[in-house]
Amino acid sequence: ASMYNAIQQSFFNTTCANCHGASNRAAAGLYLTEGKSYDALVGQPSKKVPDINMVEPDDASNSLLHIILHQERVEGISMTHRDLVSEKSEQSILPLIDSWINHGAKEK
């Protein structure tokens, strides 16, 4: 399984999709459900934070996904996503997300 698939299964599906697409709507128009998340994230500009991509391949620190999962407050984002990161996720999922982004954010 790819890093992206592991992230989808262990984090997007279980934590993020609750607000981002599991129902008939997605917060901020961002779908993080299976089959939609990759195209919604990689190389896509943020609708809420100008001049930054949701995922900038090869550059986790300049990707909004990284920023919202690591910081308490992000200008332009109404919800604190940091609260969704458990201690377990912080030690396992967040490094996996950063590694995936820093290694080109490949789908397969």
Side-chain angles (χ1 to χ4, degrees):
S2 68
M3 278 197 280
Y4 166 72
N5 187 56
I7 294 164
Q8 181 70 54
Q9 298 302 316
S10 62
F11 194 64
F12 293 161
N13 287 352
T14 61
T15 304
C16 306
N18 294 330
C19 293
H20 291 283
S23 63
N24 289 334
R25 66 179 288 281
L30 177 63
Y31 283 87
L32 295 180
T33 52
E34 204 155 338
K36 294 183 179 181
S37 62
Y38 187 84
D39 290 336
L41 290 171
V42 179
Q44 296 301 311
S46 166
K47 294 176 183 170
K48 298 280 188 172
V49 181
D51 304 323
I52 190 166
N53 283 342
M54 295 302 300
V55 168
E56 183 63 43
D58 302 310
D59 193 355
S61 63
N62 285 308
S63 296
L64 188 58
L65 180 61
H66 166 90
I67 294 167
I68 66 170
L69 294 175
H70 286 83
Q71 293 181 12
E72 290 293 329
R73 298 280 309 139
V74 177
E75 188 70 33
I77 305 292
S78 58
M79 185 189 159
T80 301
H81 291 77
R82 182 80 183 124
D83 294 345
L84 301 173
V85 179
S86 68
E87 191 173 316
K88 180 183 176 194
S89 293
E90 186 158 9
Q91 295 172 5
S92 60
I93 299 301
L94 295 188
L96 181 62
I97 290 171
D98 286 352
S99 180
W100 169 66
I101 294 171
N102 285 329
H103 287 93
K106 294 173 177 57
E107 187 172 12
K108 304 276 183 215

